[in-house]
Amino acid sequence: MFLALALVANFMLAKAFTDETERTRVPYTLFREQAQADNVEEISSKGETIQGKFRDPIVYAEDANQPTETTEVVDFKTERPSFADDNIFAVLDRNDVRVNARPTDEARPIWQTLLFSFGPTLLFIFLLFSIMGRASRGLGGLGGIGKSKAVRYEASNIRTTFADVAGIDDVEGELVEVVDFLKNPDRYRRLGATIPKGVLLSGPPGTGKTLLARAVAGEADVPFFSMSASEFIEMIVGVGASRVRDLFQQAKAAAPAIIFIDELDAIGRSRGGSSSLGGHDEREQTLNQILTEMDGFTGSEGVIVLAATNRPEILDAALLRPGRFDRRLVVSPPDQNGRSKILAVHSRGVPLAEEVDLNQIASITPGMVGADLKNLVNEAALMAARHNHDAILTADFTEALEKIILGTERQIMQTREERERTAYHESGHALLGMLQPGADPVRKISIVPRGMALGVTFQSPESDRYAYDTSYLKGRIIGLLGGRAAEKLVYGDVTTGAESDLEQVTRIARQMVGRWGMSEAIGPVSILPGPRDEVLFPGIGEGGVSAHTRELLDREVRRIIDECYLEAMAMLEEHRDQLDALVAALLERETLDEIDAYHAAGVERRPPAVSLESPPAVSLEKPAAVSPII
Ligand code: ADP
Ligand code: MG
Ligand code: ZN
């Protein structure tokens, strides 16, 4: 603010002082001509310099080489050559020209020149010093730089409670216990147990980590300091560490207390390894300061550090050492039951129609996390409002879900042939999805263009899946190739429409071979870098792998895809009449849902497999459960 004001003031001052008339330099001969023609109103003169004003503006080209670029001259200046012996004064006198009406424009006095050239700089330096002075006296201004900006929740302004958190009961239970440590430390100390210093919440984005922390703040009855890790690090170097120090000091003074550091990976990632320019050192210092502070705890301060991260695998090992974040709680995406409870939490404030069964909606949203479900409820409410419903119906939910997963419908002009081609492409995907044992049931087929896609086939599992077997993955590849295979079968030619299918196919096949040990030729060897390696050693690529193995990888990927493609072709050829029937239904109705689609294709829907929810597998990059095929 100061600086901006100072600059504006400076600019205006300079403008006021330099408000002198712009004069065009003209040749002396021109001036003389005008004087003789009685077109000079007034002149001033000092030495040989003549300045003045013409009565009527004259048109004059300043640059003789560009005669077209003329200016209108009124105020002029010129130099009278010393050898000129014309009697110019006589001419002027005769024509009643005012001579020496004012002083000639002078060069700026030296003090002004100095002021305008150094003034702004001096002002800036002065301001900087005064701000720094204030800062060192702790008077605010920019002085809060080294202070932690942690927000301290007070009991009065909190609204989040454990009632707002659903579907992650195990983690919730552990946190309740942690809060209990703080409130009744003696009960634990009597038995010789040490109270944990740090609790790390990890899990995919949107699963409710931040929400949980807020709920802890709401329920704990102890001071709660919350800060996002990225806030430690700002433009100014060295700030991070001092903010950490300040934060811990505040917390200790208020103990028993909880410190919450959100998005810990912003500073907590492994030191060494990848080094980004600049911010690197700063991050390391901040991290070291946190480690130092946590080591400084004797356990009797009554301060617990709660942290959250999406990417625990990249955290520095030192953070995870016992005595620091020794409790690690994994917040997993909710299972069907959990999703149903989360939906219930978020639809507390919205009117649901009687017929809505949240359990059923939970069953069609595998893979969605708390944040997605919250969004879904909101979109459904918007849909209901658009359709003028008094309450949200199941149809609003499914429509909202479609919009979220598949994208918004788009109006584009298509010829009959194009629509038919799209219908064959999608029917190819869908029919193979229906025919293959073990594949996810087809929930919807549509040839209404949405987002980037001309059509879409949507499959989702009957119950949540946590691990995938080879035959399922192959089936998925076959289904993905079904679009292209159908085009080839019917038209003998292919289109660009299979781009995203091929991308997915390649990704799945590469991972089958390179990460999941599903190719005999390569064996159970991990060749592709996992997500953790990529972070620790960027650019490592397929570093430790021999050229031979890499070639083999490519060949195996190719083999798997080729085999699947042949199988897709064969299946479609065999079931050509069913394919045609599905296409006909699709062209007529544009969108088919599960029952109609199976009916049109004449395929019997398989009874849902008995679902035994298996424990989460650790595969970090499994094929997304909910992803439409286009
Ligand atoms: P993150 O794990 O990325 O920190 P958030 O806690 O910020 O996720 O979740 C975002 C929003 O999603 C929350 O504000 C909440 O409304 C909703 N949400 C996420 N998980 C849950 C849950 N288990 N129960 C209820 N709401 C949830
Ligand atoms: Mg968060
Ligand atoms: Zn496709």
Side-chain angles (χ1 to χ4, degrees), residues 144-178:
I145 279 175
K147 293 263 189 311
S148 84
K149 282 199 260 171
V151 183
R152 179 176 168 164
Y153 281 92
E154 297 296 344
S156 53
N157 58 16
I158 290 164
R159 276 163 301 147
T160 313
T161 65
F162 282 131
D164 297 313
V165 187
I168 38 179
D169 301 334
D170 41 344
V171 183
E172 202 179 307
E174 294 247 14
L175 282 177
V176 171
E177 197 188 55
V178 168

Side-chain angles (χ1 to χ4, degrees), residues 204-211 260 262-263 308-310:
T207 44
K209 299 179 294 297
T210 309
L211 180 73
F260 175 53
D262 208 354
E263 317 284 348
T309 175
N310 299 331

Side-chain angles (χ1 to χ4, degrees), residues 163-168 172 203-214 260 262-263 308-310 331-332 334 338 341-343 345-346 369-375:
D164 297 313
V165 187
I168 38 179
E172 202 179 307
T207 44
K209 299 179 294 297
T210 309
L211 180 73
L212 263 175
R214 282 211 301 268
F260 175 53
D262 208 354
E263 317 284 348
T309 175
N310 299 331
V331 188
S332 325
K341 285 187 192 154
I342 294 175
L343 283 169
V345 165
H346 288 290
V369 296
D372 300 327
L373 295 169
K374 178 186 183 180
N375 184 30

Side-chain angles (χ1 to χ4, degrees), residues 31 92 125 137 228 246 299 332 342 368 400:
F31 162 67
L92 295 171
I125 292 175
R137 276 171 290 145
S228 169
D246 189 62
S332 325
I342 294 175
M368 284 196 160

Side-chain angles (χ1 to χ4, degrees), residues 425 429 501 629-630:
H425 182 105
H429 287 311
D501 300 338
I629 306 175
I630 58 178

Side-chain angles (χ1 to χ4, degrees), residues 5 7 30 61 86 102 200 215 301 350 370 393 466 490 540 612:
L5 272 179
L7 285 177
L30 182 94
D86 51 357
R102 327 178 182 152
L200 179 65
E301 283 89 351
V350 298
L393 310 177
Y466 296 105
V490 176
I540 181 178
L612 281 176

